Amino acid sequence: MRIIVRSQTRIRVRAHALVGLTLLLFPQLTQAWADGPFCDFPTAAARSSSFADQSVEDASEMCAPSAPHLVRSASFDTCADASGRDSSEVAPQVANDALARARRLDAAGLYEEALLNLRVVEATMPRIADHVAFMRAELHERNGDYVRAAVAYGDAVESSPDLELRARARVGQVRSLLRAGDPSAEAELQSLQIRYPQLPEAPALKLELARHREITGQPKSAIAIYRAIDLANPGYPMAAEAREHLAVLAGLGHVVAPFGDLETLQRTERLIRTGPIEMARATMMEVRARPFAKAFVWQRDQLIKKYDEIEARRFARAEEKPVAISAPDPVFDKLRKSLALPGGEKQLAKVPGPPLLMQLKKASSQQLTDVADALVREFARRSRGITPELRFDALAVAAGSASDGELIALADTLLVYPTVTVAARYHRARALERSGQLEEATTELERVVLLDVTSPHFYRNWAQQRLRELALPTACRTPGRASDCNREIIETSLLDCEQTSLPDVQRAIEHLTPVEQIHAAGYPWLSRALDLARIGEIDRASDELHEAYLAWRFVARRGPVRAGREAVYRGVSIARAPGDMQTARARMALTPDARMQLAEVASALGDWGTAVDFGGAAFAEQNAHPYAAEVARAARTYNLDPDLLFAVMRVESVYQRRIISHAGAIGLMQIMPRTGRLIADKLGQREMTATDLLDPRTNLQFSAWYLSSLINRMEGRLPLAIASYNGGPHNVRAWIRSTGTHVPLDAFLERIPFKETKRYVRRVLDYYGSYKARRGQRMDLMAIHLPGNDRPSEVAF
């Protein structure tokens, strides 16, 4: 760090010299600088005519004595307030003006002047000095001043109580040290990777190190790092750049060893897992053609087999012969033959319920109506030994293969059981509808609408769909997508979202101030959030508020939650434990009323997830359209109904933009890093990392693209697209091939083998219908048949 210390000394000398020159030029003013005193607040009139209100278009005018670019400020410890107001009221305005000025100066290319204005912010708002230090570091880095950037990032790391800010600053510090060529950079990078074992930025940082080695005449070391990057992250943009450097070094005569057999297999396996898909295909062609040593032939063959299975899933076609449950099956064949004999059905009485259901699944998949009818009759006949739930499973399995009359008879036996009566009535109505008994079917569907009062109202929603279909068969059938028949309705929803009001910072400050005054001792993040809100740093204020929630969550014994950048980097939940009993008691004193006030603060700042954290599930229902502008942008781009995105967001994260599941899914729409990587490849955003998925705009854009692609692949069947979003499109297609396309879609949804996916589809559809109802709209009709053909699709992740 010797270089850094010497550079920091030079920086301070330079800053003092600049300030001294400023005082000589403007003796009538006392200016603000990094280490000097602060006196003489400007009056309101002076502030209104200060540089904060002037344009930065004319750089020569900015530097003229008549338009100083350093804000006048004051020291709250030693100087009297010249403004006539309390200093706590004036300081935020001074800082706000200085911050706005710093940004304009930075945009105009006046680097040092912008830096001095950030120093004003830092001095006037000492509680958020770490945030301002981070802003200084970013300013230094944008201007290529990496030595000073490393120092500023270090200041943020040392002074910040915010884990998220420290995580960002640590990465920035190491990146700046690498770019500055500091001798300690490599050791700092190793330390960073030990601290953050799942750091998404690691490949980019290693690339910086390799570049430095190459520039400083260490080609062998640079080659080793470039090869390691390409081996560990072959599909990333950093790997592509590493390969370019290796090619240049090879052209200069340096030895660049090719990958050995084991390295080739490891690299290929990573490409198959993370993409891009096209690159994985090309690499697999090379693997097939390459001769391998005997020790690696079996491993190569297994990799080829795995890849071929993935490709088969991606391009599998639904018109292929349905796969049997277990084939050949002598038991099923014997059953078929015996049922063809007189009195053959009597032997079914000896078969227990679960094996009987398995035989029914086989008969249904092969569309053997006579066998299915006999099995359904046996389920209807038995009054003992078979639970109502098992009989209902038989009702759902036989739909589309057994005779509708037999299904109606089976459904009749279930109407007396409260646990399945609504579901049985719905499928009884569908059998009546298919058999042409429309009047009775309508009556039964209307009864289902009245009886299904338990969330997620799956049968009520489908019953309403069928009633509309019977009344108006030509209604729009493209749920979730804008088409000719519903474009106007979705456009209205988009306009509503785009006109949603911006964050109300003043309201947030009003709600936060009294809570901060009472609870600042236990929750210093509240004071910091208040200061950040006062200078318009909304996202940073939201981060501090979320830190306060995590601290309360710990003392409330709700356990740590996996959320935010630190959790992405470490891959674990991070506990915010109090340091002593006094602090713990202070945090436990946060009352329900105070938490509700903080929910209002978060809502006013536009951080809907933190609002729900503090306010509970009821608060989620009161604020049903979070991130409306971002949702509208993504929905418009990919031709989607914004209410579909709201519904998926509600089920996936309850509006938590920082949340990370235990499986590793990130953000509002819970996108897995691998899925995000593949989507980024499709969208041409090759620089994307998993950390970017914490950003609401990126997360919603990726999710909207993926949902739109899934709807296309499932030929407009929204329930199947939703099931694919949760369970994977390859799984959904496998289930369709297993059941056969003759099964009605609503019955198919009953047979989804993944319980989580089955429940997920119902919840999303229920929320989607609720969002439409809030606008006085109805969900478009959903096609009742499964799609016939599965066109080749790249969307298999």
Side-chain angles (χ1 to χ4, degrees), residues 586-608:
R587 291 182 184 177
M588 291 171 67
L590 192 68
T591 64
D593 287 343
R595 295 200 300 273
M596 192 57 65
Q597 284 285 84
L598 293 176
E600 293 291 345
V601 173
S603 173
L605 292 174
D607 187 354
W608 307 100

Side-chain angles (χ1 to χ4, degrees), residues 387-599:
T387 63
E389 289 74 19
L390 192 61
R391 264 191 276 173
F392 173 75
D393 288 344
L395 179 64
V397 165
S401 57
S403 302
D404 289 318
E406 300 294 348
L407 294 175
I408 294 169
L410 177 56
D412 287 339
T413 68
L414 295 169
L415 300 183
V416 296
Y417 298 101
T419 56
V420 295
T421 182
V422 174
R425 284 192 181 278
Y426 172 76
H427 286 287
R428 182 178 187 275
R430 288 284 291 121
L432 289 167
E433 178 188 340
R434 289 192 296 269
S435 64
Q437 303 175 61
L438 300 184
E439 186 174 346
E440 190 175 349
T442 299
T443 302
E444 196 72 284
L445 289 168
E446 290 171 346
R447 195 172 301 169
V448 170
V449 172
L450 294 174
L451 291 175
D452 189 9
V453 294
T454 305
S455 181
H457 307 110
F458 178 72
Y459 300 104
R460 185 183 70 181
N461 291 333
W462 272 107
Q464 290 172 337
Q465 288 265 321
R466 300 316 304 155
L467 287 169
R468 288 171 55 198
E469 169 74 14
L470 293 173
L472 188 64
T474 58
C476 188
R477 294 181 183 277
T478 54
R481 294 298 299 269
S483 64
D484 292 340
C485 60
N486 65 6
R487 190 173 301 278
E488 185 175 343
I489 293 175
I490 291 182
E491 181 64 26
T492 300
S493 301
L494 287 168
L495 290 174
D496 286 345
C497 293
E498 290 166 345
Q499 293 169 5
T500 301
S501 59
L502 296 173
D504 189 346
V505 180
Q506 190 56 42
R507 181 166 70 90
I509 292 172
E510 290 172 0
H511 282 287
L512 180 55
T513 301
V515 180
E516 185 270 340
Q517 290 172 350
I518 298 171
H519 296 284
Y523 298 93
W525 303 279
L526 300 181
S527 304
R528 291 159 55 79
L530 186 59
D531 284 353
L532 288 163
R534 283 170 171 165
I535 63 171
E537 287 294 307
I538 297 173
D539 288 342
R540 293 175 184 272
S542 297
D543 288 342
E544 294 293 335
L545 204 61
H546 187 254
E547 286 290 314
Y549 165 74
L550 294 176
W552 172 80
R553 181 186 175 94
F554 185 88
V555 298
R557 298 186 178 181
R558 297 190 179 184
V561 63
R562 189 171 296 191
R565 186 180 298 262
E566 183 88 0
V568 172
Y569 289 176
R570 293 193 178 190
V572 296
S573 301
I574 311 297
R576 268 68 168 183
D580 52 63
M581 278 305 296
Q582 183 177 356
T583 303
R585 283 193 290 268
R587 291 182 184 177
M588 291 171 67
L590 192 68
T591 64
D593 287 343
R595 295 200 300 273
M596 192 57 65
Q597 284 285 84
L598 293 176

Side-chain angles (χ1 to χ4, degrees), residues 197-244:
Q198 296 187 21
L199 182 68
E201 289 84 357
L205 295 175
K206 290 178 181 177
L207 186 64
E208 293 287 351
L209 177 61
R211 287 172 181 156
H212 175 68
R213 294 285 175 82
E214 185 179 353
I215 292 171
T216 55
Q218 304 176 67
K220 289 185 179 180
S221 177
I223 288 170
I225 299 172
Y226 285 138
R227 287 183 82 257
I229 293 171
D230 189 22
L231 178 63
N233 307 96
Y236 282 62
M238 290 71 71
E241 187 171 343
R243 289 191 291 273
E244 292 175 3

Side-chain angles (χ1 to χ4, degrees), residues 88-108:
S88 63
E89 298 178 13
V90 178
Q93 184 60 51
V94 173
N96 199 16
D97 291 346
L99 183 59
R101 183 164 33 255
R103 286 172 176 159
R104 292 199 298 270
L105 288 164
D106 180 31

Side-chain angles (χ1 to χ4, degrees), residues 707-749:
L707 269 172
S708 178
S709 302
L710 290 172
I711 292 173
N712 284 342
R713 180 173 186 184
M714 298 300 163
E715 298 181 11
R717 270 65 166 186
L718 181 61
L720 299 182
I722 295 170
S724 299
Y725 191 92
N726 179 264
H730 55 284
N731 283 324
V732 173
R733 277 301 178 181
W735 300 334
I736 292 174
R737 292 195 302 276
S738 176
T739 61
T741 56
H742 60 282
V743 176
L745 190 147
D746 50 356
F748 171 83
L749 297 178

